[in-house]
Amino acid sequence: RQRSGALHATLDVLATPADGLVNKAFQVVDGLPDPAACLDPEHLGDAFLDALRATGIPFDVNGDTITVTGPSSIHPVSIETAPYPGFPTDLQAQWTVLMTQATGNSEIVDTIYTDRFKHVPELRRLGANACVIGNKVAVEGGTPLSSAVVMSTDLRASVSLVMAGLIAEGTTDVLRVYHLDRGYERLEAKLQAVGLAVTREEYDENAVEAELA
């Protein structure tokens, strides 16, 4: 049976993995069509903003607006999730993707959901050098990502795979994007609005996923 589920992401608009990545990552994380869209930065928590600042990524918080500038490089920053205002567990998968493009190694420790790492094997399909050890992921930064077919497993993992697909060279297929639809309304349209080459297409779920098994 055909299921509306394949999301294709290509890297036509990014000159380098780090150039412009964070602008797009913010829009994916928050489901926002514009980096100057209205949000309450306090909802991100001090730990997230402190970690983002430590990466060397230039950003400015002004009222309900966060303006982010794509950096020439990203410093590796290890994080450990914690209840608010600690680093949010809902952002650890996205942070893992960001750290694949950092200039060194890092660790992502989840103290809340100790088994929420199903995105890591899929990131490895794209070329990420990341390994799950207990409740943490060890990530080697500076890893070029290449296109692949990957499978969504839950909402946060899904959006991290879209982010990785936008970094990867070539066309990446993200399957089972109905997970995304539970939390990100019209994500592909929002990404298209900021100039990213993303389309949603139908595919034969049974045939494609059998090839991945």
Side-chain angles (χ1 to χ4, degrees), residues 47 82-83 98 121 145:
L98 186 62
L145 302 184

Side-chain angles (χ1 to χ4, degrees), residues 160-184:
S160 73
L161 295 179
V162 173
M163 287 176 58
L166 294 171
I167 299 167
E169 182 178 354
T171 300
T172 291
D173 298 339
V174 182
L175 309 183
R176 295 186 177 179
V177 294
Y178 46 81
H179 290 295
L180 275 173
D181 296 335
R182 295 190 294 107
Y184 296 92

